[in-house]
Amino acid sequence: MDLHETSLAERVGVAPAPVLPQHPDVAAWRPATTADIDGIWQLRRAMGEVDHPNYLTARGAIAADFGYSHFHAELDSLVGIDAAGSILAVGMVMFPPRQVSLVRSMPIGGVHPRLRGRGIGRQLLAWQLGRAKQQLASSTTTLPGWILSYADERSPQNAALFEHAGLSLARYFLTLERPLDASVRVIDPAAGIRVAAYTAAVSAEVHRTRDDSFMDHWGSQPMSDENWNAFVGGKWFRPDLSFVAYGTDAAGTEQVVGFVLSTANENIWAMQGFTGSYIDLVGVLSGWRGRHIAQSLLAAQLAAGQALGHERVTLAVDSASPTGALGLYTGMGFVPTHKKMAYTLEF
Ligand SMILES: CC(C)(COP(=O)(O)OP(=O)(O)OC[C@H]1O[C@@H](n2cnc3c(N)ncnc32)[C@H](O)[C@@H]1OP(=O)(O)O)[C@@H](O)C(=O)NCCC(=O)NCCS
C-alpha cells in the first residue's frame, strides 16, 4: 500500500467526541461491559437469524473481543437498552494492533430486527464512525487508514446505511460450500512436502506463516498474539480438521509453508441445515505457491470431515483474490452460495 505524505492524524483532521444517539424507542445509551456479553450475543443472534442465517456469531467471539487489551469498552462500545435493561442495539469499534501496511478501524454491531426502519441504526452508525475517526486520528503513521465494515447481500438495508453514511463498496466476499460426497479424494502433496495435522506445538510458527502469507490478502494485517490465541484456543477451533504443510529448503531445514485452519460451531448446525466445518484460514507462503500445497491441505481437511460424517464444508473468499483463491476452491468442488460486501471509508 502506498504511503501518504501526511500523517493519518492530519488526513482525518479534527475528530470530536462521537454524538450519542437519541431516539424515543431507546431508553438509554451506555458503554457495554463484560456483564453485557450474553445480552449482546442474544441480540447478535436475533440479527444474524435475519441478516445471514447460515452463520451466527459465537458467544466466544464476543467474549474474545472484550478480552483484547486494545478494546476499551468504555470508549469503543455503545449499547442501547430498553426500560427493562434489555439490549436493543449494539455498536463496537475494533482497532486492532499490528497494523503494518494499513490502519483499520472496524465498526461492528446493529439494531434488533423488530426495531429496524426507525432511524436507530443511522444514529448508531454515526456514533461508530465518529469513534472510528478518533481511532484513526490517534495514528501518526503515513499509512492509509480505513474504516472497514461488512454487509450481507441478504440485508440490503445494511448496505444502504453504509452508502448513506459515505462508505463505498470495495469488495465482494463469497461464501462457498462443498458437499462431502463421493468425489472427496486425498491429494498427495508434491515431493518434498509433508502434510500433517495441526498441533498446539506449531502454533507460533503457523501464526507467523499466516501473517506472511496474508500480506497480499485484501484488507488483512498481521494478527496480534491475543487475537491468534483466541482463535486457536477458541471453543470451536478444530485441530483434527486443521492441517499444516511442511517444506524442506535447500539447506535441508523443514519449515511450515502452508496451513488450513478450521472451526465447527455445532450450535448452528440445525439452523444452517447441515453438519460440517468452516475453513477460517488457508494460506501458503509466496515462495511455495503453485505446487498444489493448498490443494493437498484442503483435500486433507475434506477427507477428515467426511470421516467424521460431516455433510459439508464452508468457507469465504475474496471474489477478486489476486492469488487465485476463488479458482482454487471452485476447482475443488466448492460452489458459491452467498455474498457479502466490504465497505470502506478511506483516509
Ligand atoms: C490462495 C493460496 C492459498 C493458494 O496456494 P497454492 O499452494 O499456491 O495453491 P495450489 O498450488 O494448491 O493451487 C491449486 C489450484 O488453484 C488455482 N490457483 C492457485 N493459484 C492461482 C492463481 N494465482 N491464479 C489462478 N489460479 C490459481 C489453480 O487452479 C491451481 O491448480 P493448477 O495449478 O492445477 O491450475 C495462496 O496463493 C495464498 O496463500 N494466498 C494468500 C492468502 C489467501 O488469499 N488465502 C485464501 C483466503 S480465502
Side-chain angles (χ1 to χ4, degrees):
M1 293 243 185
D2 295 339
L3 294 182
H4 289 259
E5 284 183 0
T6 52
S7 72
L8 184 50
E10 286 171 284
R11 275 172 283 138
V12 175
V14 179
V19 179
L20 271 187
Q22 266 193 317
H23 196 281
D25 296 331
V26 181
W29 294 92
R30 61 165 174 78
T33 70
T34 50
D36 294 318
I37 290 172
D38 281 311
I40 293 171
W41 181 41
Q42 297 305 330
L43 171 62
R44 295 276 299 264
R45 222 185 146 79
M47 296 192 306
E49 283 168 9
V50 173
D51 293 339
H52 43 74
N54 62 311
Y55 66 93
L56 293 175
T57 307
R59 185 188 185 283
I62 298 166
D65 284 346
F66 276 86
Y68 293 139
S69 54
H70 62 266
F71 179 67
H72 307 292
E74 183 67 28
L75 295 169
D76 298 334
S77 73
L78 190 67
V79 288
I81 54 174
D82 64 15
S86 294
I87 299 175
L88 309 171
V90 60
M92 294 172 42
V93 191
M94 308 308 289
F95 191 55
R98 297 200 70 206
Q99 312 212 33
V100 301
S101 61
L102 168 68
V103 183
R104 301 162 308 165
S105 170
M106 296 181 284
I108 45 176
V111 177
H112 196 286
R114 74 176 180 325
L115 288 171
R116 289 190 178 168
R118 304 178 189 194
I120 302 173
R122 203 175 266 205
Q123 290 188 21
L124 176 62
L125 181 61
W127 180 89
Q128 289 177 291
L129 296 180
R131 178 62 193 144
K133 284 180 192 160
Q134 286 187 318
Q135 292 176 339
L136 295 180
S138 71
S139 173
T140 53
T141 74
T142 52
L143 295 174
W146 290 4
I147 297 175
L148 169 62
S149 208
Y150 295 88
D152 196 285
E153 65 169 344
R154 287 162 290 181
S155 32
Q157 76 281 3
N158 296 349
L161 200 64
F162 287 149
E163 278 168 16
H164 180 265
L167 279 77
S168 305
L169 174 61
R171 213 80 168 183
Y172 287 98
F173 279 79
L174 300 175
T175 297
L176 291 89
E177 285 175 12
R178 166 61 155 109
L180 295 177
D181 55 23
S183 66
V184 171
R185 300 251 177 295
V186 171
I187 299 176
D188 288 329
I193 307 293
R194 181 171 71 88
V195 168
Y198 171 89
T199 66
V202 286
S203 170
E205 200 180 349
V206 177
H207 179 187
R208 273 197 306 280
T209 310
R210 182 271 167 207
D211 288 349
D212 287 351
S213 58
F214 269 69
M215 280 319 287
D216 47 14
H217 184 274
W218 185 85
S220 288
Q221 291 293 294
M223 290 167 78
S224 67
D225 287 344
E226 283 181 344
N227 192 188
W228 178 260
N229 292 332
F231 171 58
V232 295
K235 177 174 178 186
W236 301 116
F237 179 70
R238 291 292 294 260
D240 57 334
L241 294 170
S242 299
F243 293 87
V244 179
Y246 298 86
T248 305
D249 63 20
T253 311
E254 193 173 64
Q255 64 171 117
V256 172
V257 297
F259 54 86
V260 164
L261 303 175
S262 314
T263 50
N265 180 348
E266 296 174 18
N267 282 346
I268 65 167
W269 285 355
M271 182 154 178
Q272 69 181 10
F274 55 88
T275 61
S277 58
Y278 182 83
I279 298 180
D280 293 80
L281 291 170
V282 180
V284 173
L285 288 179
S286 59
W288 294 83
R289 290 181 189 162
R291 301 189 202 181
H292 296 159
I293 295 177
Q295 248 177 21
S296 49
L297 284 162
L298 286 163
Q301 202 279 356
L302 297 177
Q306 189 174 49
L308 290 168
H310 288 177
E311 290 163 323
R312 291 189 209 177
V313 169
T314 312
L315 54 75
V317 61
D318 168 10
S319 61
S321 162
T323 57
L326 180 57
L328 161 69
Y329 301 138
T330 53
M332 292 193 69
F334 282 86
V335 178
T337 53
H338 305 292
K339 207 188 278 176
K340 75 180 174 181
M341 285 97 69
Y343 277 85
T344 58
L345 184 60
E346 304 186 8
F347 293 90

